[in-house]
Amino acid sequence: QVQLVESGGGLVQPGGSLRLSCAASGSTLSLYIMAWYRQAPGNQRELVAVISTGGTTNYADSVKGRFTISRDNAKNTVYLQMNSLKPEDTAVYYCKAKLGFDYWGQGTQVTVSS
């Protein structure tokens, strides 16, 4: 069973950048479809980006051209590079691994505010 730990969140001004990391242990990350989700207060959790085992990526329309998901299988880590951040990107960001079952991390807070 895989365990996931997110890091890299914080407070950033509009227009700034952050890189989130999702480190996996207990299993080989290369076997899993990986995704980033986010949940803002009062909202449902929504899919932000997904990357297949082969490296194919897909993004929510709201983040296309600004966010990039990537994976480093050698480091057992998935990343979310977030550029041109907007206040509406403020949320708790979660990493998910899928291989039959879904496995979630604990989340990391991203706040975009001046």
Side-chain angles (χ1 to χ4, degrees), residues 78-111:
V78 173
Y79 304 98
L80 185 68
Q81 178 67 44
M82 305 186 295
N83 299 328
S84 302
L85 282 160
K86 305 175 181 180
E88 51 264 43
D89 295 318
T90 295
V92 177
Y93 283 71
Y94 297 91
C95 176
K96 187 187 84 172
K98 183 177 183 66
L99 180 62
F101 296 103
D102 291 342
Y103 302 91
W104 293 90
Q106 83 291 348
T108 185
Q109 176 70 47
V110 171
T111 303

Side-chain angles (χ1 to χ4, degrees), residues 36-48:
W36 286 96
Y37 285 73
R38 66 186 180 188
Q39 187 168 18
N43 290 358
Q44 291 187 334
R45 193 171 296 189
E46 63 173 355
L47 177 65
V48 174

Side-chain angles (χ1 to χ4, degrees), residues 1-108:
Q1 182 171 336
V2 64
Q3 292 84 43
L4 304 172
V5 178
E6 300 97 333
S7 61
L11 173 64
V12 63
Q13 292 187 342
S17 299
L18 283 175
R19 189 177 80 156
L20 305 183
S21 299
C22 173
S25 61
S27 188
T28 302
L29 202 61
S30 62
L31 301 175
Y32 295 78
I33 297 170
M34 300 299 300
W36 286 96
Y37 285 73
R38 66 186 180 188
Q39 187 168 18
N43 290 358
Q44 291 187 334
R45 193 171 296 189
E46 63 173 355
L47 177 65
V48 174
V50 61
I51 185 166
S52 71
T53 55
T56 300
T57 59
N58 279 289
Y59 299 91
D61 287 343
S62 59
V63 307
K64 279 182 182 176
R66 300 189 298 123
F67 290 11
T68 302
I69 188 172
S70 61
R71 62 194 305 159
D72 186 335
N73 291 332
K75 294 184 177 180
N76 237 24
T77 302
V78 173
Y79 304 98
L80 185 68
Q81 178 67 44
M82 305 186 295
N83 299 328
S84 302
L85 282 160
K86 305 175 181 180
E88 51 264 43
D89 295 318
T90 295
V92 177
Y93 283 71
Y94 297 91
C95 176
K96 187 187 84 172
K98 183 177 183 66
L99 180 62
F101 296 103
D102 291 342
Y103 302 91
W104 293 90
Q106 83 291 348
T108 185

